[in-house]
Amino acid sequence: MGKNYPTTPQEVQEMQIETDILIIGAGNAGCYAAIEAKRQDPSLRVTLMEKAHIDRSGCLAGGMDAINTYIKKGETVDSLVKWSREQAGGLQRDDLYKTMAELLNQSIEEWEEWGLPVKKGENGEYLARGRWDIAIHGSEMKVILAEKVREYGCEILNRVVATNFIMDGDRVVGAMGFNIREGKFYVIKAKATIVATGGAGGIYKPYTNDGTDSHHQIWYSPFNVGTGYAMGIRAGAEMTTFEMRWCAVRTKDFNGPIDTISVGYNAAMINARGEKILAERYAHLGGDKAPRYIRANAPMEEWLAGRGPCYVDTTHMTPDQIKDLKTDYLNERPSFVLFLASRNQDISRDPIEIYGSDPYIVGGHTASGYWIDVKRGTTVPGLFACGDVAGGTPNKFVGGCAAEGMLSARGAIDYIKSGMVSRINVDESLVEKEKNRVFQPFVRQLNVGDGITPLEMEERLQRLMDEYAGGVHQFYRMNRERLEYALKNIAILKEQAKFLVATDLHELMRCNEVIDMIDVAEVLCHHLLYREETRWPGWQTRMDFPEKNDDKFNCFVNSRKNLETGNIEMFTRPMEKLVD
Amino acid sequence: MPPKVDLQKCDGCKGEKEPLCVAICPGDLLMLNEETVKAACRSTRDCWDCMSCIKVCPQGALETKLPYQLGYHPARLIPLMGGKRVSWTCVSQDGKVERFNYKNRN
Ligand SMILES: Cc1cc2nc3c(=O)[nH]c(=O)nc-3n(C[C@H](O)[C@H](O)[C@H](O)COP(=O)(O)OP(=O)(O)OC[C@H]3O[C@@H](n4cnc5c(N)ncnc54)[C@H](O)[C@@H]3O)c2cc1C
Ligand code: SF4
Ligand code: SF4
């Protein structure tokens, strides 16, 4: 095959772009940020930098079957704030949650207006599927959103992978990255920058990864690898609550959604003996209404106790309900319907088997991510964050990420209008340094040839994290010594990154991804080490500290990389309740 | 999860700047084999199963295949995209056909 891309930094063509607002990641939150920025001020130049294609990128690529948070009649912003905090084991930034919740319904109603079919009940209201959930036909919802972004006249750069922020002193003034079709290096200067790259999948080894074609048989988008977190870590931004990982109950062997579905169809989780797990064993923690970390961990505890396999009992469902359920799957994870068909499984007779997923870092579900203020500004001036990459606000889900996108756009506009950014000065040697860093795997391939492939390094990291930092094969359990072992090896991996080789632009992207994953894993291990208690069994199970310790840890655990020493520094921030 | 290319049906999206499946895949997994001028998946293990490529292909040349380790042969699931509707045909391993047809856009 003819080579049509550069292989040394000297050959790389540079693209210089100047814009008002740069949004990194044109996913759910990023698209809403773009639309809102244009609505607030159509004269602003708004640029989206997207590693994939805006029509089908990120979590929404395959579609969604529900909106998990919508404030229905009879509920209020405050009742949602309170529910979310309880689901999160008491830890949440109420100020962030409240401001997000105030915009929640608007985002969903607009999406509907733009073309998203929302199911309606007989009364004409959105069809409820649980206390906060509503049912949708969301398979095309990302395409619909992308059309709107184009309509508002935003500049969209598809297939441009962000790698680091551009700094002007201690301010963020844009980002750099490269295009994976031609290998051009992008230097995008912006008055304000919004990071919306989603969370991190693939840090841990998935249990379906058995050398087959199912390496990416995971819940979260495997193409969101945590680059936005890594860029922030490298820029010295403060991060919060990485230790509150998200592990979910999923359909076994296939990672299809099941938890919200089981609630929606009143199909209980049962163990091998047919006992209703939540009602019978977790009544003291709320039974069927127990927080999601309890629900996620419950089937795994049953396995450990010798009462697995576990199921969601679908055997009482009517043919109509089963058709609806399968339609839900077609809207979100179509191949699960194929999976059932490949086993000739009639779920009115054979219930759906369930199991825990590998752990993810995802601020739209838990509270991991950038430490931000109510305007969604990070601790680094000029940088805003929204969606799964932003911390402090668990249970955002689709609508919440969209709402937060809008808030970050407003925050960015306020920042621009405050006049703090009159001129952008960029030290060109930093740009050169980043270009060399990004293209290093090509240079090694050319000069040495022999090296480590991104796949090898990724699998090493995944195995390490799985075994020593509480992966699914270890039933999410960890202790200090194991975490220290993980950190010791992460340090080696960081040192070994110089051996990475790439033979094409796709592999160059994969090399840069694995470097980012390692940076995220390092910070994650520090967080897991620091919280010497077990607050969320399953999400965070410290075998050496099995109890919750409210005296010491009813607070946020935060981190910041000291850019002089390179050390990850840990500290806490108080938890403040706004709603009782 | 590998999307399987039907080499008879795939025409390489000749009229397009970039083949539609190549342009859409969120994981950058599809490419054009320059010799055959047909689509190919560069890394089947990395596929997320989102079916974006299947839905966008104008020739119906792509099909999601389960890895055999997870599901028995020869079940099939084929989407047909209409303007505002989608219809799915699912054929189970033992040949039972099930159809779904619903609105996916207002
Ligand atoms: C399978 C699945 C099912 C879910 N089901 C539901 C549900 O039923 N109901 C619900 O309410 N919520 C659900 N969620 C949660 C919800 O979808 C997410 O929380 C939300 O969409 C995340 O939005 P986001 O914008 O933060 O991330 P995304 O929409 O994933 O956007 C991130 C974007 O950043 C891009 N990107 C990443 N790295 C880079 C880089 N280096 N350079 C440039 N671009 C980059 C990605 O390509 C992507 O476009 C589900 C999530 C998943 C994964
Ligand atoms: S979209 Fe279909 S026809 Fe076009 S290249 Fe891909 S597989 Fe071939
Ligand atoms: S199913 Fe999705 S991830 Fe897999 S090749 Fe097609 S577009 Fe890519």
Side-chain angles (χ1 to χ4, degrees), chain A residues 191-243:
Chain A
K191 291 187 184 137
T193 304
I194 298 173
V195 60
T197 48
I203 306 286
Y204 286 84
K205 181 176 165 180
Y207 71 86
T208 43
N209 178 10
D210 45 7
T212 67
D213 275 337
S214 29
H215 184 71
H216 277 169
Q217 200 30 259
I218 67 177
W219 166 72
Y220 201 62
S221 164
F223 314 123
N224 287 354
V225 298
T227 300
Y229 298 133
M231 287 166 65
I233 292 165
R234 295 193 289 258
E238 186 173 330
M239 296 288 162
T240 190
T241 323
F242 270 37
E243 74 282 7

Side-chain angles (χ1 to χ4, degrees), chain A residues 1 112 115-116 147 159 181 212-213 215-218 323 326 331 335 341-344 455 459 506, chain B residues 1 18 23 25-28 34 44-46 48-49 52 69-71 77 93-94 98-99 102 105-106:
Chain A
M1 236 182 265
E112 184 189 22
L116 169 69
E147 280 167 11
R159 300 289 173 200
R181 289 288 176 264
T212 67
D213 275 337
H215 184 71
H216 277 169
Q217 200 30 259
I218 67 177
K323 192 98 183 175
K326 286 190 179 174
N331 280 324
S335 47
S342 78
R343 298 186 170 198
N344 299 323
L455 172 66
E459 288 197 337
H506 177 79
Chain B
M1 206 76 32
E18 186 173 40
C25 173
D28 186 35
E34 286 179 10
T44 48
R45 67 193 287 293
D46 286 338
W48 188 37
D49 244 0
S52 301
Q69 290 89 335
L70 297 184
L77 177 68
Q93 190 277 333
D94 58 6
E98 206 175 350
R99 283 184 222 282
Y102 56 89
R105 292 190 66 136
N106 285 331

Side-chain angles (χ1 to χ4, degrees), chain A residues 223, chain B residues 1 3 24-27 29-30 41 47-53:
Chain A
F223 314 123
Chain B
M1 206 76 32
I24 206 70
C25 173
L29 301 178
L30 290 155
C41 181
C47 172
W48 188 37
D49 244 0
C50 71
M51 294 182 83
S52 301
C53 57

Side-chain angles (χ1 to χ4, degrees), chain A residues 504-555:
Chain A
D504 60 24
L505 285 164
H506 177 79
E507 289 229 309
L508 187 68
M509 171 178 78
R510 302 276 292 111
C511 288
N512 280 281
E513 284 177 354
V514 75
I515 291 169
D516 295 340
M517 290 160 87
I518 293 168
D519 281 343
V520 174
E522 180 187 22
V523 169
L524 170 59
C525 288
H526 279 287
H527 276 258
L528 290 168
L529 254 179
Y530 194 89
R531 189 174 279 283
E532 292 185 330
E533 64 158 357
T534 296
R535 180 156 296 254
W536 310 281
W539 291 356
Q540 179 256 350
T541 307
R542 280 291 297 263
M543 300 200 69
D544 42 356
F545 297 95
E547 306 294 331
K548 189 164 143 186
N549 180 349
D550 270 334
D551 290 342
K552 240 180 127 183
F553 285 108
N554 194 19
C555 57

Side-chain angles (χ1 to χ4, degrees), chain A residues 19 34 42 58 67 84 108 173 202 208 215 248 250 265 332 365 403 524 562:
Chain A
T19 188
I67 302 288
S84 171
I108 305 308
V173 290
T208 43
H215 184 71
R250 304 292 288 174
Y265 291 92
E332 180 163 312
H365 274 61
L524 170 59
N562 181 324

